[in-house]
Amino acid sequence: MKVIYFLILGILLSTYGVFTASAGYITIKTETTVAVDDSNLKVKVVVTNEGDESAFNVQSNINENQRIQSSPIKQVLAVKENFEYEANYSLTQTKHGRYPLIINIDYTDANQYPFSALTGTYYSFGSDTVSKVFGSANDIRLARYTTLPLKLKNIDEESKEVLVRLIVPKESSVQEKVKKVTIQPRSEVNTIFNISNFSALTGSRYQVFFILEYEDENKHYSNIIPCSIHVDASKGFFKRYKWYIIAGSSVIFVVLIVFQFVPRKRSSSGKQNP
C-alpha cells in the first residue's frame, strides 16, 4: 500500500509541475517617428525591452517600398533598456498620398533562438490621403496551420481594385502573400489567407498586418489592418487530458490519505485445548 501511495503522490506532483512551470519572457516595444521634408524621409525607431529577461542580437530593419535599411546589431538589450536607430530615404514616388512603412525587429533569446517583432505605420508624400477602403481581422490561434480571414469594405461610390499584402514575422509562412481584390461600390468582400507555423514557439504572440493599397485620381491610398497570432501547441495526450489527469490523481490521493486514518479491527484467535 505504501508503494501505491507514494506512486500516486509522485504522479500528482509531477503532473502539477508540468502544467505550472513558467519561464522568463521578452517583450519588444517599438516606437516610430516619421518626418518628411520635400523628398526626404527620416525614420527614427526606438526599441525597448519590456520583458523580464535580456534580448540578444537586436537589429532594427526598416522597409520603405522594398528598400530595407538595417541598424547595427546590439548584442545585449537589457530589461527596460532602449535601442535607437535612424534611417534616411530619398523618396522616389511620383504620386502624392499616404504610403506604408514596415519595421521589423530581429532578436534572439539567451539560447540564441531567433524571434522577430513587426510594426507598421504611414508617411505622407506631398498631400495626404484618407482611404475609402478599410477592413477588419480577428486575432487567431495557430498550432500548425490555420486560416486568417479578412473582411474589406468600400464606402466609396466607385469600385476599387485593392492590392492586399499580408505581412507576417519570419517565424510563420503564408502561401499567398499578395492578392488583388476588386470591391464594388458600397459593398464588402471577404478573403482568406492561409498561414502556417514555421519556427514560432508555443506561447508566443505575434502581431501581423494587412496592408491595403490602391490608386485613384492620380493619388495613392493605403490602410493598415493589424491583428495578432497566438501560438498554441499541438494537442498531445497531456494537453488534451490534463484536467482529467489532475482531477483523477487528486481524488485517488485524497482517498489514500483518508484510508490511512481509518481504524482497522483487530482479529483475535483462540487456542484450542488438546
Side-chain angles (χ1 to χ4, degrees), residues 39 64-65 91-97 99 123 125-127 215 217-220:
S39 295
E64 190 281 318
N65 194 26
L91 298 179
T92 59
Q93 282 80 0
T94 58
K95 296 180 180 180
H96 287 192
Y99 292 85
Y123 69 89
F125 173 71
S127 57
E215 293 182 348
E217 295 182 353
N218 208 34
K219 288 188 176 182
H220 191 87

Side-chain angles (χ1 to χ4, degrees), residues 154 156-161 182-185:
N154 176 17
D156 200 11
E157 300 294 340
E158 298 180 359
S159 64
K160 307 294 182 188
E161 185 170 308
T182 300
I183 312 177
Q184 299 302 320

Side-chain angles (χ1 to χ4, degrees), residues 35-257:
V36 179
D37 183 10
D38 293 331
S39 295
N40 298 313
L41 170 65
K42 180 182 293 185
V43 184
K44 181 180 179 181
V45 177
V46 179
V47 178
T48 306
N49 182 2
E50 295 286 351
D52 63 3
E53 67 177 37
S54 296
F56 300 85
N57 305 308
V58 181
Q59 186 175 43
S60 299
N61 305 281
I62 303 173
N63 186 342
E64 190 281 318
N65 194 26
Q66 304 305 314
R67 295 187 298 169
I68 299 175
Q69 293 190 32
S70 300
S71 71
I73 295 175
K74 184 172 178 59
Q75 293 185 357
V76 181
L77 184 65
V79 175
K80 302 301 180 182
E81 185 180 5
N82 295 331
F83 174 44
E84 297 184 4
Y85 175 63
E86 188 173 292
N88 293 278
Y89 291 91
S90 179
L91 298 179
T92 59
Q93 282 80 0
T94 58
K95 296 180 180 180
H96 287 192
R98 183 176 294 186
Y99 292 85
L101 193 66
I102 301 300
I103 294 92
N104 178 59
I105 310 300
D106 290 327
Y107 63 98
T108 68
D109 63 9
N111 297 319
Q112 301 302 302
Y113 198 89
F115 296 90
S116 57
L118 288 173
T119 187
T121 188
Y122 308 99
Y123 69 89
S124 298
F125 173 71
S127 57
D128 198 5
T129 55
V130 178
S131 178
K132 299 296 180 64
V133 176
F134 65 97
S136 61
N138 294 326
D139 297 346
I140 62 170
R141 309 196 76 89
L142 171 65
R144 295 184 61 188
Y145 308 96
T146 191
T147 57
L148 182 51
L150 172 67
K151 178 182 289 187
L152 299 173
K153 289 189 177 183
N154 176 17
I155 61 174
D156 200 11
E157 300 294 340
E158 298 180 359
S159 64
K160 307 294 182 188
E161 185 170 308
V162 182
L163 188 70
V164 182
R165 289 187 289 151
L166 176 56
I167 309 298
V168 298
K170 297 177 181 178
E171 292 87 336
S172 59
S173 302
V174 179
Q175 290 183 359
E176 192 176 5
K177 292 184 178 181
V178 182
K179 292 183 179 183
K180 284 187 177 180
V181 181
T182 300
I183 312 177
Q184 299 302 320
R186 306 289 299 177
S187 64
E188 64 181 44
V189 172
N190 295 320
T191 185
I192 292 177
F193 286 75
N194 297 311
I195 187 169
S196 61
N197 185 359
F198 178 66
S199 63
L201 297 180
T202 301
S204 301
R205 179 179 178 272
Y206 295 90
Q207 192 162 42
V208 302
F209 298 92
F210 289 100
I211 297 181
L212 319 178
E213 294 183 272
Y214 68 93
E215 293 182 348
D216 188 18
E217 295 182 353
N218 208 34
K219 288 188 176 182
H220 191 87
Y221 296 79
S222 65
N223 204 346
I224 298 178
I225 312 300
C227 63
S228 295
I229 294 176
H230 302 261
V231 181
D232 287 338
S234 299
K235 290 187 177 180
F237 176 82
F238 283 102
K239 185 175 180 65
R240 188 186 304 271
Y241 299 107
K242 69 175 183 179
W243 295 117
Y244 295 100
I245 296 173
I246 292 175
S249 301
S250 300
V251 170
I252 296 174
F253 181 71
V254 171
V255 169
L256 289 176
I257 290 294

